[in-house]
Amino acid sequence: MLISCTGIHKFYQDHHVLRSVSLTVENQDRIGLVGDNGCGKSTFLRILTEQELPDAFERDEPVIAKASNLRIGYLAQNAGLDGSKTVLEEMNDAFSHLHEAKAIMQTLEAKMESGLSAEELDEYARLSAFFEINDGYTTDVRIRTVLYGMGFGENTLPRQISGFSGGEKTRLALCKLLLEAPDLLILDEPTNHLDFQTVGWLEDYLKTWRGALLIVSHDRFFLDRLCTSICELEHGEMTRYKGNYTAFTKLRSESRERQQKEYEAQQREIAKLEDYIAKNKVRASTAKSAKSREKQLDKMERIDKPYAAAKSAKISFTYNIVPPIDILEVKNIDLTVGTGTMQKTLMENISFSVRRGDKIGIIGENGTGKSTLLKVLRNILPHKGLVRWASGTRLGCFEQESESLNPYATVFDELHDRYPALSDFEVRSLLGQVRLTGENVFKETGVISGGERAKLCFAILMQEHGNILLLDEPTNHLDLTTKEILEQALSEFDGTILFVSHDRYLLDRLADQLFVLENGSLTAFKGKFSSYQEQIRRRTEAEQAAAIEEKQRKAAEAQKAGYRSKEQRSQDAKRRAEIKRLEQEMDALQVEQDTLQESLTDETVAGNYEQMQKVCSRLEEIRLRQDALLEQLILLEDA
């Protein structure tokens, strides 16, 4: 057990945010924490990390127990860094304990020549073992691995933290947490500000995380890939489900259905008992039996009434006119932004066609032209080329920033002004379907939340009855419950949908093909988003494998060249040694030759025929040997 909490309550004024919440986190747990906006997720995390204290309730003292020396890393939504430091300095702070150990080791190493005491030798051995066990020699590699994976290149290392944007600072804070490798890593919306590639890298990195993970996220694809259990906060109470997010949605639905049936069955049983008691209590013959039933009713453990599911939005899209099979033809269009000297061309000569019933997800990095493409298809922006919609097509549009809303009109008036034929009751009913109720309908659209503006746009979209939906980031600002309802409505819609989204769960569930905008071009991919990601993953792995293979080939060639160099040096050394030996032999022969020639003048030798013959014979041998040695020297020196 890493951490366990029981009986956690929290009040804000009269609002009971957390109701006797309990949670136990074991090592290697992968927990996703979900719930509607404002349900208390961030409050619970602050209590868990001791940034906020829980409240006592009805003499029930809250208990938070932790493992000894537990290290918790917490990435809040507004994480801060030291703006005066460079990226490299900030990342190195994650290894301060290793840097301190290394500094002491270096001090001890400098004293080794003069000799270390037994205590100092033991300290050096302990620090060396600690440094190696914690991979102290690879800190630079680990820093760059994480930074590169999170989208920061080598050129960002010397930059000061204060020069980065808020989203980049959050990414850097996450990088530092990953390098610190705490026992329990708590992440609050970690995928915000991340593109597909970076999120994919983060998922792969966290899959091998040695400690436990507790993640708050609206990214259901992220939760699906990482989590082994989901904790839902609803009406202040926490329920834990085994499995990833997809399993959670199924189990929660089954649990609610089962709870509703059990509640209804118990209510029927209670009504039956109450009716029996009321009819038989006053009769002498049946009073005892009625009293027994009354005791049975008093002892009955009541099942709580399930929270009304009616509070969920009801979204559906319909149309009356069925368009032809081939509904859109696009030929050689350009995507441009800006005007005059500030005009920039994002893409040129784009061509594609769309058929009835297609569900097309449009993806790409920010700034590649996704929203611009939708505006060109709506003829909002000027463009070159052909955009031809078939007769009978009716567009229903959802804009990312709700640009068409009048910020000074109330929610009620915005909808009523668009559709004056609707009665006040019909307008309120339509707004109620998307959970815009009460005083919220009389607020100006410019002051309501992003989620409320999105819901208003869905109410307008439902009333447009388009057989083709053009949607720009439709799930932004929505809570998980509303996202699920919207996805269900879009899945059941049998018309055509073209939508821009970074929501991978929506893309995988809804799109049957993708338009990928990258490197100034549009590429169509037939299939699910998960298949596309798998293709990208295989391609990336193949490219990495090819790069590694090329690196190994070059290393082998260099090694081979190194071996040849050694062999050559060995041969050169042998040649030089042989030349030296030959020269030494020639010098010795020359000395012997001089001695023999001098002996020829000696009368003893000159008067002795046999002795003279031996000297002359030896001199001839020396001459022949010298000639042979000279030839060998010439050959060796020319080699």
Side-chain angles (χ1 to χ4, degrees), residues 561-636:
Y563 284 142
R564 288 200 301 270
S565 178
K566 289 179 181 178
E567 184 180 348
Q568 185 63 46
R569 287 196 298 270
S570 176
Q571 291 175 352
D572 288 344
K574 290 179 181 179
R575 181 175 60 83
R576 288 193 298 270
E578 181 65 11
I579 288 173
K580 186 175 183 180
R581 187 190 66 76
L582 293 176
E583 288 175 342
Q584 288 174 344
E585 186 179 351
M586 288 188 70
D587 289 343
L589 289 172
Q590 186 62 47
V591 170
E592 184 182 359
Q593 183 183 44
D594 292 343
T595 301
L596 289 173
Q597 285 179 343
E598 187 178 347
S599 71
L600 290 175
T601 61
D602 190 334
E603 292 181 358
T604 305
V605 174
N608 188 329
Y609 174 77
E610 291 181 358
Q611 189 68 21
M612 177 68 75
Q613 190 176 22
K614 286 181 180 180
V615 171
C616 289
S617 177
R618 179 56 185 159
L619 285 171
E620 182 62 18
E621 289 176 0
I622 290 173
R623 185 184 64 78
L624 293 172
R625 180 59 181 164
Q626 286 176 330
D627 289 343
L629 291 174
L630 185 60
E631 288 180 5
Q632 290 181 48
L633 279 171
I634 292 171
L635 291 172
L636 287 171

Coordinates of all heavy atoms in Angstrom, one line a residue, residues 561-636:
A561 N 37.3 -0.7 -40.5 CA 38.4 0.2 -40.9 C 39.5 0.3 -39.8 O 40.7 0.4 -40.0 CB 37.9 1.6 -41.3
G562 N 39.0 0.3 -38.6 CA 39.9 0.4 -37.4 C 40.8 -0.8 -37.4 O 42.0 -0.8 -37.1
Y563 N 40.1 -2.0 -37.6 CA 40.9 -3.3 -37.6 C 42.0 -3.3 -38.7 O 43.1 -3.7 -38.5 CB 40.0 -4.5 -37.8 CG 39.2 -4.8 -36.5 CD1 37.9 -5.2 -36.6 CD2 39.8 -4.7 -35.3 CE1 37.1 -5.5 -35.5 CE2 39.1 -5.0 -34.1 CZ 37.8 -5.4 -34.2 OH 37.0 -5.7 -33.1
R564 N 41.6 -2.8 -39.9 CA 42.5 -2.7 -41.0 C 43.7 -1.8 -40.6 O 44.8 -2.1 -40.9 CB 41.8 -2.3 -42.3 CG 40.9 -3.3 -42.9 CD 40.7 -3.0 -44.4 NE 40.1 -1.6 -44.5 CZ 38.7 -1.5 -44.5 NH1 37.9 -2.5 -44.3 NH2 38.2 -0.2 -44.6
S565 N 43.4 -0.8 -40.0 CA 44.4 0.2 -39.6 C 45.4 -0.4 -38.6 O 46.6 -0.3 -38.7 CB 43.7 1.4 -38.9 OG 44.7 2.3 -38.5
K566 N 44.8 -1.2 -37.7 CA 45.7 -1.9 -36.7 C 46.6 -2.9 -37.4 O 47.8 -3.1 -37.1 CB 44.8 -2.6 -35.6 CG 44.1 -1.7 -34.7 CD 43.3 -2.4 -33.7 CE 42.5 -1.5 -32.7 NZ 41.7 -2.2 -31.8
E567 N 46.0 -3.7 -38.3 CA 46.7 -4.6 -39.1 C 47.9 -4.0 -39.9 O 49.0 -4.5 -39.9 CB 45.8 -5.4 -40.0 CG 46.5 -6.5 -40.8 CD 45.5 -7.3 -41.7 OE1 44.3 -7.0 -41.6 OE2 46.0 -8.0 -42.5
Q568 N 47.5 -2.8 -40.5 CA 48.5 -2.1 -41.3 C 49.6 -1.6 -40.4 O 50.8 -1.7 -40.7 CB 47.9 -0.9 -42.0 CG 48.8 -0.2 -42.9 CD 49.3 -1.1 -44.1 OE1 48.5 -1.7 -44.7 NE2 50.6 -1.1 -44.3
R569 N 49.2 -1.1 -39.2 CA 50.2 -0.6 -38.3 C 51.1 -1.8 -37.8 O 52.3 -1.6 -37.6 CB 49.6 0.0 -37.1 CG 49.0 1.4 -37.4 CD 48.7 2.2 -36.1 NE 47.7 1.5 -35.2 CZ 46.4 1.7 -35.3 NH1 45.9 2.5 -36.2 NH2 45.6 1.1 -34.5
S570 N 50.5 -2.9 -37.6 CA 51.3 -4.1 -37.2 C 52.3 -4.5 -38.3 O 53.5 -4.8 -38.0 CB 50.4 -5.3 -36.9 OG 51.1 -6.4 -36.6
Q571 N 51.8 -4.5 -39.6 CA 52.7 -4.8 -40.7 C 53.9 -3.8 -40.8 O 55.0 -4.1 -41.1 CB 51.9 -4.9 -42.0 CG 51.0 -6.1 -42.0 CD 50.1 -6.1 -43.3 OE1 50.1 -5.1 -44.0 NE2 49.4 -7.1 -43.5
D572 N 53.5 -2.5 -40.6 CA 54.5 -1.5 -40.7 C 55.6 -1.7 -39.6 O 56.8 -1.5 -39.9 CB 53.9 -0.1 -40.6 CG 53.1 0.3 -41.8 OD1 53.3 -0.3 -42.8 OD2 52.3 1.2 -41.7
A573 N 55.1 -2.0 -38.4 CA 56.0 -2.2 -37.3 C 57.0 -3.4 -37.6 O 58.2 -3.4 -37.4 CB 55.3 -2.5 -36.0
K574 N 56.4 -4.5 -38.2 CA 57.2 -5.6 -38.6 C 58.2 -5.3 -39.7 O 59.4 -5.7 -39.6 CB 56.3 -6.8 -39.1 CG 55.5 -7.4 -38.0 CD 54.6 -8.5 -38.6 CE 53.7 -9.2 -37.5 NZ 52.9 -10.2 -38.0
R575 N 57.8 -4.4 -40.6 CA 58.7 -4.0 -41.7 C 59.9 -3.2 -41.2 O 61.0 -3.4 -41.5 CB 57.9 -3.2 -42.7 CG 58.7 -2.7 -43.9 CD 57.9 -2.1 -45.0 NE 57.2 -0.9 -44.4 CZ 57.7 0.3 -44.3 NH1 59.0 0.5 -44.7 NH2 57.1 1.3 -43.8
R576 N 59.5 -2.3 -40.3 CA 60.6 -1.5 -39.7 C 61.5 -2.3 -38.8 O 62.7 -2.1 -38.8 CB 60.0 -0.4 -38.8 CG 59.3 0.7 -39.6 CD 59.0 2.0 -38.8 NE 58.0 1.6 -37.7 CZ 56.7 1.7 -37.8 NH1 56.2 2.1 -38.9 NH2 55.9 1.4 -36.7
A577 N 61.0 -3.3 -38.1 CA 61.8 -4.2 -37.3 C 62.8 -5.0 -38.2 O 63.9 -5.2 -37.9 CB 61.0 -5.1 -36.5
E578 N 62.2 -5.4 -39.4 CA 63.0 -6.2 -40.3 C 64.1 -5.4 -40.9 O 65.3 -5.8 -41.1 CB 62.1 -6.8 -41.4 CG 62.8 -7.7 -42.4 CD 63.4 -9.0 -41.8 OE1 63.1 -9.3 -40.6 OE2 64.2 -9.7 -42.5
I579 N 63.8 -4.1 -41.3 CA 64.8 -3.2 -41.8 C 65.9 -3.0 -40.8 O 67.1 -3.0 -41.2 CB 64.2 -1.9 -42.2 CG1 63.3 -2.1 -43.5 CG2 65.2 -0.8 -42.5 CD1 62.5 -0.9 -43.8
K580 N 65.5 -2.8 -39.6 CA 66.5 -2.6 -38.5 C 67.4 -3.8 -38.4 O 68.6 -3.7 -38.2 CB 65.8 -2.2 -37.2 CG 66.8 -1.8 -36.1 CD 66.0 -1.3 -34.9 CE 67.1 -0.9 -33.8 NZ 66.4 -0.4 -32.6
R581 N 66.8 -5.0 -38.4 CA 67.6 -6.2 -38.2 C 68.6 -6.4 -39.4 O 69.8 -6.7 -39.2 CB 66.7 -7.4 -38.2 CG 67.3 -8.7 -37.8 CD 66.4 -9.9 -38.0 NE 66.0 -10.1 -39.4 CZ 66.9 -10.6 -40.3 NH1 68.1 -11.1 -40.0 NH2 66.5 -10.8 -41.6
L582 N 68.1 -6.1 -40.6 CA 69.0 -6.2 -41.8 C 70.1 -5.2 -41.7 O 71.3 -5.6 -42.1 CB 68.1 -6.0 -43.1 CG 67.1 -7.1 -43.4 CD1 66.3 -6.7 -44.6 CD2 67.7 -8.5 -43.6
E583 N 69.8 -4.0 -41.3 CA 70.8 -3.0 -41.2 C 71.9 -3.4 -40.2 O 73.1 -3.2 -40.4 CB 70.2 -1.7 -40.8 CG 69.5 -1.0 -42.0 CD 68.8 0.3 -41.6 OE1 68.6 0.5 -40.3 OE2 68.4 1.0 -42.4
Q584 N 71.4 -4.0 -39.1 CA 72.3 -4.4 -38.0 C 73.2 -5.6 -38.5 O 74.4 -5.6 -38.3 CB 71.5 -4.9 -36.8 CG 70.9 -3.8 -36.0 CD 70.0 -4.3 -34.9 OE1 69.7 -5.4 -34.8 NE2 69.7 -3.4 -33.9
E585 N 72.6 -6.5 -39.3 CA 73.4 -7.6 -39.9 C 74.4 -7.1 -40.9 O 75.6 -7.5 -40.9 CB 72.4 -8.6 -40.6 CG 73.2 -9.8 -41.1 CD 72.2 -10.8 -41.7 OE1 71.0 -10.7 -41.7 OE2 72.8 -11.8 -42.4
M586 N 74.0 -6.1 -41.7 CA 75.0 -5.5 -42.7 C 76.1 -4.8 -42.0 O 77.3 -4.9 -42.4 CB 74.2 -4.5 -43.6 CG 73.3 -5.2 -44.6 SD 72.6 -4.1 -45.8 CE 74.1 -3.7 -46.8
D587 N 75.8 -4.1 -40.9 CA 76.8 -3.4 -40.1 C 77.8 -4.5 -39.5 O 79.1 -4.3 -39.6 CB 76.2 -2.6 -38.9 CG 75.5 -1.4 -39.4 OD1 75.7 -1.0 -40.6 OD2 74.7 -0.9 -38.7
A588 N 77.3 -5.6 -39.1 CA 78.1 -6.6 -38.5 C 79.0 -7.3 -39.6 O 80.2 -7.6 -39.4 CB 77.3 -7.7 -37.8
L589 N 78.4 -7.5 -40.8 CA 79.2 -8.0 -41.9 C 80.3 -7.1 -42.4 O 81.4 -7.5 -42.8 CB 78.2 -8.3 -43.1 CG 77.2 -9.5 -42.9 CD1 76.3 -9.6 -44.1 CD2 78.0 -10.8 -42.8
Q590 N 79.9 -5.8 -42.3 CA 80.9 -4.8 -42.7 C 82.1 -4.8 -41.8 O 83.3 -4.7 -42.2 CB 80.3 -3.4 -42.7 CG 81.2 -2.3 -43.3 CD 81.6 -2.5 -44.7 OE1 80.8 -2.8 -45.6 NE2 83.0 -2.5 -45.0
V591 N 81.8 -4.9 -40.5 CA 82.9 -5.0 -39.5 C 83.8 -6.2 -39.7 O 85.0 -6.2 -39.7 CB 82.3 -5.0 -38.0 CG1 83.4 -5.3 -37.0 CG2 81.7 -3.7 -37.7
E592 N 83.1 -7.3 -40.0 CA 83.8 -8.6 -40.2 C 84.6 -8.5 -41.5 O 85.8 -9.0 -41.6 CB 82.8 -9.8 -40.3 CG 83.5 -11.1 -40.5 CD 82.5 -12.3 -40.6 OE1 81.3 -12.0 -40.6 OE2 83.0 -13.4 -40.8
Q593 N 84.1 -7.9 -42.5 CA 84.8 -7.7 -43.8 C 86.1 -6.9 -43.6 O 87.1 -7.2 -44.1 CB 83.8 -7.1 -44.8 CG 84.5 -6.9 -46.2 CD 83.5 -6.2 -47.2 OE1 82.9 -5.2 -46.8 NE2 83.4 -6.7 -48.4
D594 N 85.9 -5.8 -42.8 CA 87.1 -4.9 -42.6 C 88.2 -5.7 -41.8 O 89.4 -5.6 -42.1 CB 86.7 -3.7 -41.8 CG 85.8 -2.8 -42.6 OD1 85.8 -2.9 -43.8 OD2 85.1 -1.9 -42.0
T595 N 87.7 -6.5 -40.9 CA 88.7 -7.3 -40.1 C 89.4 -8.3 -41.0 O 90.7 -8.5 -40.9 CB 88.0 -8.0 -39.0 OG1 87.3 -7.0 -38.1 CG2 89.0 -8.8 -38.1
L596 N 88.7 -9.0 -41.8 CA 89.3 -10.0 -42.7 C 90.2 -9.4 -43.7 O 91.3 -9.9 -44.0 CB 88.2 -10.8 -43.4 CG 87.3 -11.7 -42.6 CD1 86.2 -12.3 -43.4 CD2 88.2 -12.9 -42.0
Q597 N 89.8 -8.2 -44.3 CA 90.7 -7.6 -45.3 C 92.0 -7.1 -44.6 O 93.1 -7.2 -45.2 CB 90.0 -6.4 -45.9 CG 88.9 -6.9 -46.9 CD 88.2 -5.7 -47.5 OE1 88.2 -4.6 -47.0 NE2 87.5 -6.0 -48.6
E598 N 91.9 -6.7 -43.4 CA 93.1 -6.3 -42.7 C 94.0 -7.5 -42.4 O 95.2 -7.4 -42.4 CB 92.7 -5.6 -41.4 CG 93.9 -4.9 -40.7 CD 93.4 -4.2 -39.4 OE1 92.2 -4.0 -39.2 OE2 94.3 -3.9 -38.6
S599 N 93.4 -8.6 -42.2 CA 94.2 -9.8 -41.9 C 95.0 -10.3 -43.1 O 96.0 -11.1 -42.9 CB 93.2 -11.0 -41.4 OG 92.5 -11.5 -42.4
L600 N 94.6 -9.9 -44.3 CA 95.3 -10.4 -45.5 C 96.7 -9.8 -45.5 O 97.6 -10.3 -46.2 CB 94.5 -10.0 -46.7 CG 93.2 -10.8 -47.0 CD1 92.4 -10.2 -48.1 CD2 93.5 -12.2 -47.2
T601 N 96.9 -8.7 -44.8 CA 98.2 -8.0 -44.8 C 99.1 -8.7 -43.8 O 100.3 -8.3 -43.7 CB 98.1 -6.5 -44.5 OG1 97.5 -6.3 -43.2 CG2 97.3 -5.9 -45.6
D602 N 98.5 -9.5 -43.0 CA 99.3 -10.2 -41.9 C 100.2 -11.3 -42.6 O 99.6 -12.1 -43.4 CB 98.4 -10.8 -40.9 CG 99.2 -11.3 -39.7 OD1 100.3 -11.6 -39.8 OD2 98.5 -11.3 -38.6
E603 N 101.5 -11.3 -42.3 CA 102.4 -12.3 -42.9 C 102.1 -13.7 -42.6 O 102.2 -14.7 -43.4 CB 103.9 -12.0 -42.5 CG 104.4 -10.7 -43.0 CD 105.9 -10.5 -42.6 OE1 106.4 -11.3 -41.8 OE2 106.4 -9.5 -43.0
T604 N 101.6 -13.9 -41.4 CA 101.2 -15.3 -40.9 C 100.1 -15.8 -41.8 O 100.1 -17.0 -42.3 CB 100.7 -15.3 -39.5 OG1 101.7 -14.7 -38.7 CG2 100.4 -16.7 -39.0
V605 N 99.1 -15.0 -42.1 CA 98.0 -15.4 -42.9 C 98.4 -15.5 -44.4 O 98.1 -16.5 -45.1 CB 96.8 -14.4 -42.8 CG1 95.7 -14.8 -43.8 CG2 96.3 -14.4 -41.4
A606 N 99.2 -14.5 -44.8 CA 99.6 -14.4 -46.3 C 100.5 -15.6 -46.6 O 100.5 -16.1 -47.7 CB 100.3 -13.1 -46.6
G607 N 101.3 -16.1 -45.6 CA 102.2 -17.2 -45.9 C 101.5 -18.6 -45.7 O 102.1 -19.6 -46.1
N608 N 100.3 -18.6 -45.3 CA 99.6 -19.8 -45.1 C 98.5 -20.0 -46.1 O 97.5 -19.2 -46.1 CB 99.0 -19.9 -43.7 CG 98.5 -21.3 -43.3 OD1 98.0 -22.0 -44.2 ND2 98.5 -21.6 -42.1
Y609 N 98.7 -20.9 -47.1 CA 97.8 -21.0 -48.3 C 96.4 -21.3 -47.8 O 95.4 -20.8 -48.2 CB 98.3 -22.0 -49.2 CG 97.4 -22.3 -50.3 CD1 97.2 -21.5 -51.4 CD2 96.6 -23.5 -50.3 CE1 96.3 -21.7 -52.4 CE2 95.7 -23.8 -51.3 CZ 95.6 -22.9 -52.4 OH 94.7 -23.2 -53.4
E610 N 96.3 -22.3 -46.9 CA 94.9 -22.8 -46.5 C 94.2 -21.6 -45.7 O 93.0 -21.4 -45.9 CB 95.1 -24.0 -45.5 CG 95.5 -25.2 -46.3 CD 95.7 -26.4 -45.4 OE1 95.4 -26.3 -44.1 OE2 95.9 -27.5 -45.9
Q611 N 95.0 -20.9 -44.9 CA 94.4 -19.8 -44.1 C 93.9 -18.7 -45.1 O 92.9 -18.1 -44.9 CB 95.4 -19.3 -43.1 CG 94.8 -18.3 -42.1 CD 93.9 -18.9 -41.1 OE1 93.9 -20.1 -40.9 NE2 93.0 -18.1 -40.6
M612 N 94.8 -18.4 -46.1 CA 94.4 -17.4 -47.0 C 93.2 -17.8 -47.8 O 92.3 -16.9 -48.1 CB 95.6 -17.2 -48.0 CG 95.3 -16.2 -49.1 SD 95.2 -14.5 -48.5 CE 96.9 -14.1 -48.2
Q613 N 93.0 -19.0 -48.1 CA 91.9 -19.5 -48.9 C 90.6 -19.4 -48.1 O 89.6 -19.0 -48.6 CB 92.1 -21.0 -49.3 CG 91.1 -21.5 -50.3 CD 91.3 -22.9 -50.7 OE1 92.1 -23.6 -50.0 NE2 90.8 -23.2 -51.9
K614 N 90.7 -19.6 -46.8 CA 89.5 -19.5 -45.9 C 89.1 -18.0 -45.8 O 87.9 -17.8 -45.9 CB 89.9 -20.0 -44.5 CG 89.9 -21.5 -44.4 CD 90.3 -21.9 -43.0 CE 90.4 -23.5 -42.8 NZ 90.7 -23.9 -41.4
V615 N 90.0 -17.1 -45.6 CA 89.7 -15.7 -45.5 C 89.0 -15.2 -46.8 O 88.0 -14.5 -46.8 CB 90.9 -14.9 -45.2 CG1 90.6 -13.3 -45.3 CG2 91.5 -15.2 -43.8
C616 N 89.6 -15.6 -48.0 CA 89.0 -15.2 -49.2 C 87.6 -15.7 -49.5 O 86.7 -15.1 -50.0 CB 90.0 -15.6 -50.4 SG 91.5 -14.6 -50.4
S617 N 87.5 -17.0 -49.1 CA 86.2 -17.6 -49.2 C 85.1 -16.9 -48.4 O 84.0 -16.7 -48.8 CB 86.3 -19.1 -48.8 OG 85.0 -19.7 -48.9
R618 N 85.5 -16.5 -47.2 CA 84.6 -15.9 -46.3 C 84.3 -14.5 -46.8 O 83.1 -14.0 -46.7 CB 85.2 -15.8 -44.9 CG 84.4 -15.0 -43.9 CD 83.0 -15.7 -43.7 NE 82.1 -14.9 -42.9 CZ 80.8 -15.0 -42.8 NH1 80.2 -15.8 -43.7 NH2 80.1 -14.3 -42.0
L619 N 85.3 -13.8 -47.3 CA 85.0 -12.5 -47.9 C 84.0 -12.5 -49.1 O 83.2 -11.7 -49.2 CB 86.3 -11.8 -48.4 CG 87.2 -11.3 -47.3 CD1 88.6 -10.9 -47.9 CD2 86.6 -10.1 -46.6
E620 N 84.0 -13.6 -49.9 CA 83.1 -13.8 -51.0 C 81.7 -14.0 -50.4 O 80.7 -13.5 -51.0 CB 83.5 -15.0 -51.8 CG 82.6 -15.2 -53.1 CD 82.6 -14.0 -54.0 OE1 83.5 -13.2 -54.0 OE2 81.7 -13.9 -54.8
E621 N 81.6 -14.8 -49.4 CA 80.3 -15.1 -48.8 C 79.7 -13.8 -48.2 O 78.5 -13.5 -48.4 CB 80.4 -16.1 -47.6 CG 80.7 -17.5 -48.1 CD 81.0 -18.4 -46.9 OE1 80.9 -17.9 -45.7 OE2 81.2 -19.6 -47.1
I622 N 80.6 -13.0 -47.6 CA 80.1 -11.7 -47.1 C 79.6 -10.8 -48.2 O 78.5 -10.1 -48.1 CB 81.2 -11.0 -46.3 CG1 81.5 -11.8 -45.0 CG2 80.9 -9.5 -46.0 CD1 82.7 -11.3 -44.2
R623 N 80.3 -10.7 -49.3 CA 79.9 -9.9 -50.4 C 78.5 -10.3 -50.9 O 77.6 -9.5 -51.2 CB 80.9 -10.0 -51.5 CG 80.7 -9.0 -52.7 CD 81.7 -9.2 -53.8 NE 81.6 -10.5 -54.3 CZ 80.7 -10.9 -55.2 NH1 79.8 -10.0 -55.6 NH2 80.7 -12.1 -55.7
L624 N 78.4 -11.6 -51.1 CA 77.1 -12.2 -51.6 C 75.9 -11.9 -50.6 O 74.8 -11.5 -51.0 CB 77.2 -13.7 -51.9 CG 78.1 -14.1 -53.0 CD1 78.3 -15.6 -53.1 CD2 77.6 -13.6 -54.4
R625 N 76.2 -12.0 -49.4 CA 75.2 -11.8 -48.3 C 74.9 -10.3 -48.3 O 73.7 -10.0 -48.2 CB 75.7 -12.2 -47.0 CG 74.8 -12.0 -45.8 CD 73.5 -12.8 -46.1 NE 72.5 -12.5 -45.0 CZ 71.2 -12.8 -45.0 NH1 70.7 -13.3 -46.2 NH2 70.4 -12.6 -44.0
Q626 N 75.8 -9.4 -48.4 CA 75.6 -8.0 -48.5 C 74.7 -7.6 -49.7 O 73.8 -6.8 -49.6 CB 76.9 -7.2 -48.5 CG 77.6 -7.2 -47.2 CD 79.0 -6.5 -47.3 OE1 79.6 -6.5 -48.3 NE2 79.4 -5.9 -46.2
D627 N 75.0 -8.2 -50.8 CA 74.1 -7.9 -52.0 C 72.7 -8.4 -51.7 O 71.7 -7.7 -52.1 CB 74.7 -8.7 -53.2 CG 76.0 -8.1 -53.7 OD1 76.3 -6.9 -53.3 OD2 76.7 -8.8 -54.4
A628 N 72.5 -9.6 -51.1 CA 71.2 -10.0 -50.9 C 70.4 -9.2 -49.8 O 69.3 -8.8 -50.0 CB 71.2 -11.5 -50.3
L629 N 71.2 -8.8 -48.8 CA 70.6 -7.9 -47.8 C 70.2 -6.5 -48.4 O 69.2 -6.0 -48.1 CB 71.6 -7.7 -46.6 CG 71.8 -8.9 -45.7 CD1 72.9 -8.6 -44.7 CD2 70.5 -9.4 -45.0
L630 N 71.0 -6.0 -49.3 CA 70.7 -4.7 -49.9 C 69.5 -4.8 -50.7 O 68.6 -3.9 -50.7 CB 71.9 -4.3 -50.8 CG 71.8 -2.9 -51.4 CD1 71.7 -1.9 -50.3 CD2 73.0 -2.7 -52.3
E631 N 69.3 -5.9 -51.5 CA 68.1 -6.1 -52.2 C 66.8 -6.1 -51.3 O 65.8 -5.5 -51.6 CB 68.2 -7.3 -53.1 CG 69.1 -7.2 -54.3 CD 69.2 -8.5 -55.1 OE1 68.4 -9.4 -54.7 OE2 70.0 -8.6 -56.0
Q632 N 67.0 -6.8 -50.2 CA 65.9 -6.9 -49.3 C 65.5 -5.6 -48.7 O 64.3 -5.2 -48.5 CB 66.2 -7.9 -48.1 CG 66.2 -9.4 -48.6 CD 66.5 -10.3 -47.4 OE1 65.9 -10.2 -46.4 NE2 67.5 -11.2 -47.6
L633 N 66.5 -4.8 -48.4 CA 66.3 -3.4 -47.8 C 65.6 -2.5 -48.8 O 64.7 -1.8 -48.4 CB 67.6 -2.8 -47.4 CG 68.2 -3.3 -46.1 CD1 69.7 -2.7 -45.9 CD2 67.3 -2.8 -44.9
I634 N 66.0 -2.6 -50.1 CA 65.4 -1.8 -51.1 C 63.9 -2.2 -51.2 O 63.0 -1.3 -51.3 CB 66.1 -2.0 -52.4 CG1 67.5 -1.4 -52.4 CG2 65.3 -1.3 -53.6 CD1 68.4 -1.7 -53.6
L635 N 63.6 -3.5 -51.2 CA 62.2 -3.9 -51.3 C 61.4 -3.5 -50.1 O 60.3 -3.0 -50.3 CB 62.2 -5.4 -51.5 CG 62.7 -6.0 -52.8 CD1 62.8 -7.5 -52.7 CD2 61.8 -5.6 -53.9
L636 N 61.9 -3.6 -48.9 CA 61.2 -3.2 -47.7 C 61.0 -1.7 -47.6 O 59.9 -1.2 -47.2 CB 62.0 -3.7 -46.5 CG 61.9 -5.2 -46.2 CD1 62.9 -5.5 -45.1 CD2 60.5 -5.6 -45.8

